[in-house]
Every structure is written in C-alpha cells, then in structure tokens.
Amino acid sequence: MSNAPVYFFGKLPTLSTIYWDEDKFKQSWNWKDRSMESVLQRFVDLNKDNFAYLGVSAGIENRKGKLALKLVTSNFVGAIPVFSPMNGKLAGDLVVAGRFGENAGELISLLDNSIRPEYSDRFKLVLDSQMIPPIFIECCKYIELYIEAERLKWRKFSNTVKKQTFPSSSTLWGDYALRIAKNPMESNMFMNKNNILTTEHEEWNKLNYVLKIAISELESGRTPQRVRLALSDRITSLKTKLRDKFLIQPTGKLQTKMSDPLTIKNLKGLANVILSSKSNEKLAWRMDYSEFFERYVQYLFASVAQKKGATELNNYHYNISCSKKPSWLVSYLEPDIILQKEQQQLIVDAKYKSHIYNWGEDSDELSDTFRHDLHQVLAYSSFTTSQNKYVMLVYPFSKFVQHKAKVINNLTHAETNVFLIGIPLEKNKIEAVEKELCDLITANSILC
C-alpha cells in the first residue's frame, strides 16, 4: 500500500449497502495473507468503535465464492479514521457523504446554529476535513496549557514607572519640572523608570487576553455542557486572575521568540489559533443528514414565507393527550413546516429519500415508504379547518421539479392538494428554487 494516507473507501453514500470483495483489498493494500477471512475480521474488529460512531455496520459475507466486506451506512454523514489490520496503524479515512453527490459543507454555514456537525476528540482523522472543528476544543487545551505555563513563573524584564523619594539615572525630569511648577510641595518626589524582572509583563498580559477569550467561549452555549462541567472548577479559579483589567492587554497575534520556553511557545501557538478562530484539529465528525435536509428546507421556506407575507412555524407540536397513556403512544405530531396566512395553511414535510430520482421506477419499497410519507403529511393536514387543504412533500433532486396530486374525500367532498417537490442542494441554485416555490404557491392560490 502507498504510504500516502487516503480516503480508504472513497466517499460512501448515506443509507446504502456497499460490498468490497477480497481482491479489492489485496489490490489496495497488497495483502498476501492466505486466510483473508481472519484479516477481514481483524479489520472489522479494529475499527468497531469508529464504525459505530458513524453508524456504519460492517460484516463479512461470501459472495459468488469470494469473501467480501459488507458496509451498511446510516443517515449519518461524516468522517472517521480507519486502522490497518496488518499493523494496527492509521491507514486513511472513511468518509460518508450525501447519497446524491451534494456538498453539505457549503450549505451548513447558511443554517446558523440550527444544526452543526458533532465532533469526537476520541478519533483523529488522517486527512484534512472540509468540516473545521469548533474552537472550543482549542480553548480546552489552552486552559490546560495556561495552568502548566503558570507554574513556570515566566519572568521578563519590564519597564515600569514608580514614584520614589530619591532621584536616579532614569528619573523623568521633564515630568518633575512640570509637577513642582504646579505644586512645590512635591519637590522630594521623583518619577523613576525601573527595569524589573516580573511575571506581570506585556507578553503574559497578552496571553491573559487570550485566556479571557477562551473562558468566554467555554462558557457559551456553543460548548457542550459536559465540557463546561469538566472545566468549571479551573475556569472559576482562573477568572479571579482576570479581574484586574491592567493585567490584560488586547492583541491580534503573539510573536514566538527563540528565547521563549517550550511551554510558552506552545501556548502562544494555541493563542494564535484561538485569535484566528480556526481550529487545527483533524477530528472525526458526523451529522444526521435527514435532519440537515429538514433544516435546509426550513431555511428555504423561511424566505418564501417572508416574501408571501406568511407566518412560518417550524416543528410545531400537535399535542396528543390520553387519560391512560401507554408507553408506546407518542406525545405529539410534529410537521416540519407550517406556513400560515390568515385562515390558510400550507403543511410541508422534508424527506431525504430518492423518490423523485426514481420517478419512473416500479418498487414495492418506494411505494411503501411513500405511502408512509403521504399518510404522515395527511395526518398533519387534518388539523387544518379549510375545506381545501395544501401539503408538500419535499425531496432532494438535481433540479427543481414539481408534481401535483389530489386526495378527495368523497363523503365530505373535502380535497387535499398534494405537491411532490424535488429541490437541488446547491448554494448557487437557492434563489431560483425560492422563486419557483413562490410561483407555485401563487399559481395555485395558496396563502393568497
């Protein structure tokens, strides 16, 4: 195998089953072990925890007389490191991406804090990732290293001005002349410059400034609660040192010097990372892609609601009450999106499924999953008092498409208009998709 780290399996799609036969392994890693079953089993065992983190199940099957590794991906996208069964060392990264080739990285920044990738400091990637870990990880390391640096009692010479009762070679005579001209009683007081060895020097005060930033980040909602709790005692102790504002000096960057102790060099390096708000870590990460797609559709319809003068409600709860509630009874129904304008409602549900891509296919699985989707969105629409109801099922697709169906209740003559929408997950197509959705709503007199 080449020494260069690689995406070991390429990029696997979500919600898919992939087989790699033994020949592919032999070709990729030059495995010559005759007992391929034991090698593959060791591979699965070594990477058991990594696979579990990304929701990937791995097993060995016999296909057409050859052993094969079977990988089943879940609804998680993300990246994990992969260990070689030959030497137990990191060999590359396994990446799971959106199954339709979309780039989630360029869209996540649009969704504010409604969804963020989850990172694990248990698994370090081999390659750089498009997902940069949050800066709180660097802040944790800064706290630990700052405490270690404190123990060094790092001293430097510092020029300070002190009021003393005797003159010296560094007396500020200009200041002296001005003072005694105003108040002759101060003729025996001299402002002398002193070059003293101290721990409260300019460079340490800059490190204190970064410490203040790190503490602020760790106490924010962006940092997981378990991390805040683990560091709470140390943070409380360090905050007392920052009460004196004269011990803090703002800075944009710290310069590392040859004379700096190694711990100080490392601390300055971390400080510059925090000041730039860019983590250097290569951490394994994951994100629930179904939830991501839901948040993205909510993002689109928030803009549509604004343009149509409608109110947008995301994940609104229809509560379910029961006098003697069994454990299996759900507490509420939760449509992804409700757009409301006066007495009209549009119910929208986002589904990260391949139905629009497979429009011309005949499949029991497609039929069963669509039936479930339709029943779900019709249940949500049952709470709309209007005689004519409007619902949308939104799926991913390479371009914007729309299909319309109608569900008619022959007893009450009530109608539910069902729109099946396909949308691309591309940043440069957002404006066009929003316009198509607005035109569709206008053409069908929804929310008018």
Side-chain angles (χ1 to χ4, degrees):
M1 177 184 176
S2 169
N3 291 327
V6 295
Y7 286 141
F8 182 67
F9 294 98
K11 290 188 177 181
L12 307 184
T14 58
L15 303 168
S16 301
T17 300
I18 303 97
Y19 291 95
W20 272 42
D21 64 36
E22 61 183 69
D23 291 338
K24 195 168 184 67
F25 278 93
K26 289 177 181 178
Q27 181 182 1
S28 299
W29 282 6
N30 296 324
W31 289 355
K32 302 183 184 301
D33 194 309
R34 293 183 180 180
S35 178
M36 286 302 298
E37 184 172 3
S38 64
V39 174
L40 288 173
Q41 188 59 56
R42 176 169 163 75
F43 177 78
V44 172
D45 293 341
L46 272 174
N47 294 285
K48 178 181 177 182
D49 291 341
N50 309 41
F51 288 145
Y53 175 75
L54 202 48
V56 176
S57 64
I60 303 167
E61 289 190 4
N62 196 311
R63 287 170 58 85
K64 299 180 180 178
K66 289 187 177 181
L67 291 173
L69 179 70
K70 177 183 178 182
L71 294 172
V72 181
T73 58
S74 66
N75 57 320
F76 279 121
V77 294
I80 53 173
V82 174
F83 294 95
S84 165
M86 309 309 291
N87 54 25
K89 295 181 180 179
L90 287 175
D93 296 336
L94 182 148
V95 176
V96 177
R99 66 188 301 190
F100 306 117
E102 60 273 18
N103 181 3
E106 67 175 9
L107 299 174
I108 288 177
S109 59
L110 301 174
L111 307 183
D112 298 323
N113 291 317
S114 63
I115 187 168
R116 283 279 182 260
E118 174 189 342
Y119 296 86
S120 172
D121 52 10
R122 292 176 55 209
F123 309 110
K124 301 294 180 71
L125 299 177
V126 176
L127 302 179
D128 289 328
S129 170
Q130 65 171 343
M131 299 298 180
I132 299 174
I135 202 66
F136 80 79
I137 296 169
E138 309 288 359
C139 293
C140 292
K141 293 190 290 185
Y142 189 85
I143 295 290
E144 300 292 344
L145 197 54
Y146 180 93
I147 293 172
E148 182 182 335
E150 261 194 322
R151 300 191 190 105
L152 294 177
K153 302 294 182 185
W154 183 39
R155 294 178 174 86
K156 290 179 71 73
F157 282 102
S158 178
N159 286 317
T160 61
V161 177
K162 286 189 175 183
K163 184 182 286 189
Q164 297 175 313
T165 58
F166 54 86
S168 72
S169 59
S170 60
T171 297
L172 301 176
W173 291 111
D175 173 81
Y176 178 80
L178 289 173
R179 281 190 300 103
I180 64 171
K182 293 180 180 179
N183 184 6
M185 298 297 292
E186 291 196 10
S187 59
N188 62 340
M189 299 301 296
F190 303 89
M191 301 301 291
N192 298 329
K193 291 178 69 176
N194 293 272
N195 197 22
I196 61 172
L197 196 61
T198 178
T199 57
E200 296 177 2
H201 49 83
E202 179 181 345
E203 289 194 71
W204 187 254
N205 291 345
K206 288 180 179 179
L207 290 170
N208 284 339
Y209 172 72
V210 180
L211 175 64
K212 185 177 180 180
I213 294 174
I215 289 175
S216 177
E217 179 66 26
L218 291 171
E219 290 185 325
S220 74
R222 294 179 293 274
T223 300
Q225 187 177 12
R226 61 176 179 82
V227 176
R228 295 202 300 270
L229 290 174
L231 294 172
S232 60
D233 290 343
R234 275 162 284 185
I235 288 175
T236 300
S237 174
L238 290 171
K239 284 173 72 174
T240 61
K241 303 177 186 298
L242 302 179
R243 288 175 183 167
D244 188 345
K245 63 181 180 181
F246 296 107
L247 299 181
I248 298 174
Q249 182 168 336
T251 182
K253 187 175 183 180
L254 287 100
Q255 299 296 328
T256 303
K257 301 174 182 176
M258 291 292 293
S259 58
D260 292 340
L262 179 59
T263 300
I264 298 301
K265 288 179 180 178
N266 293 336
L267 188 62
K268 285 183 175 181
L270 265 178
N272 287 330
V273 169
I274 293 171
L275 288 169
S276 67
S277 297
K278 248 186 173 179
S279 176
N280 292 326
E281 286 281 7
K282 299 177 182 178
L283 300 183
W285 65 275
R286 66 184 181 184
M287 181 175 65
D288 186 318
Y289 212 63
S290 297
E291 184 181 357
F292 162 75
F293 183 67
E294 177 185 319
R295 296 292 178 265
Y296 178 62
V297 173
Q298 288 175 341
Y299 170 84
L300 294 176
F301 276 90
S303 177
V304 171
Q306 186 177 18
K307 292 173 182 175
K308 300 300 294 182
T311 300
E312 178 203 18
L313 300 170
N314 291 332
N315 304 111
Y316 185 79
H317 285 188
Y318 296 142
N319 294 321
I320 299 174
S321 61
C322 181
S323 56
K324 293 184 179 180
K325 183 180 176 182
S327 59
W328 46 262
L329 182 66
V330 295
S331 300
Y332 54 83
L333 295 177
E334 183 181 345
D336 293 340
I337 306 161
I338 301 174
L339 296 191
Q340 181 155 345
K341 186 175 182 182
E342 297 177 354
Q343 299 303 312
Q344 279 194 306
Q345 279 190 350
L346 171 62
I347 309 294
V348 183
D349 225 31
K351 301 295 182 183
Y352 188 72
K353 298 178 181 179
S354 61
H355 287 68
I356 303 297
Y357 278 98
N358 294 302
W359 190 259
E361 298 296 320
D362 183 11
S363 163
D364 290 340
E365 182 181 357
L366 287 170
S367 181
D368 289 342
T369 54
F370 175 71
R371 184 181 293 107
H372 177 269
D373 295 346
L374 182 60
H375 286 172
Q376 190 176 34
V377 78
L378 289 176
Y380 298 150
S381 72
S382 66
F383 296 95
T384 303
T385 57
S386 174
Q387 185 77 354
N388 293 320
K389 307 173 191 293
Y390 299 91
V391 299
M392 284 187 184
L393 286 168
V394 182
Y395 298 93
F397 194 52
S398 56
K399 61 182 180 180
F400 182 88
V401 296
Q402 56 167 300
H403 303 280
K404 184 177 180 181
K406 187 171 287 191
V407 180
I408 302 173
N409 184 333
N410 292 323
L411 295 176
T412 64
H413 304 292
E415 295 182 351
T416 301
N417 298 278
V418 181
F419 297 90
L420 308 181
I421 308 296
I423 60 167
L425 277 79
E426 295 179 47
K427 192 173 183 179
N428 62 356
K429 294 183 179 179
I430 288 176
E431 188 175 344
V433 170
E434 290 174 352
K435 182 180 184 304
E436 292 278 10
L437 289 171
C438 285
D439 291 346
L440 173 63
I441 288 173
T442 300
N444 288 273
S445 302
I446 310 171
L447 306 177
C448 55

